[in-house]
Amino acid sequence: LNMRCLAEASHRLLKILFDQGTPVPLRKHLEHQVSTAYEQQWDALSNGDLLTAAESEGFDVLVTTDQNLQYQ
């Protein structure tokens, strides 16, 4: 879930997680595996718990509109 991870993953299919508030139609423009927090049944998780769950499930990228996430 960081820039180093993105660099390492540049030549493979990324596993991307959309947080609540991320426009779902954006997924059709990405040629990667995209899931939403809702689809993962993580829509009720706090930011910290969401980050932990995403990392443990092998997500490479978290796309969010939450401007407070950097403080988690």
Side-chain angles (χ1 to χ4, degrees):
L1 296 175
N2 59 41
M3 295 308 289
R4 188 186 92 231
C5 185
L6 283 176
E8 293 171 358
S10 65
H11 298 290
R12 66 176 174 84
L13 192 65
L14 294 175
K15 192 171 178 183
I16 300 172
L17 178 65
F18 281 7
D19 192 10
Q20 296 293 330
T22 303
V24 175
L26 177 62
R27 83 188 318 164
K28 69 182 176 184
H29 300 286
L30 302 173
E31 296 180 7
H32 296 282
Q33 180 185 349
V34 179
S35 300
T36 67
Y38 178 81
E39 292 167 346
Q40 295 292 125
Q41 300 181 347
W42 296 340
D43 49 315
L45 296 180
S46 67
N47 287 340
D49 290 340
L50 179 62
L51 286 169
T52 299
E55 287 179 334
S56 71
E57 289 295 318
F59 281 91
D60 300 299
V61 178
L62 171 63
V63 179
T64 184
T65 58
D66 187 343
Q67 295 180 5
N68 292 318
L69 193 62
Q70 65 183 334
Y71 303 109
Q72 299 299 312

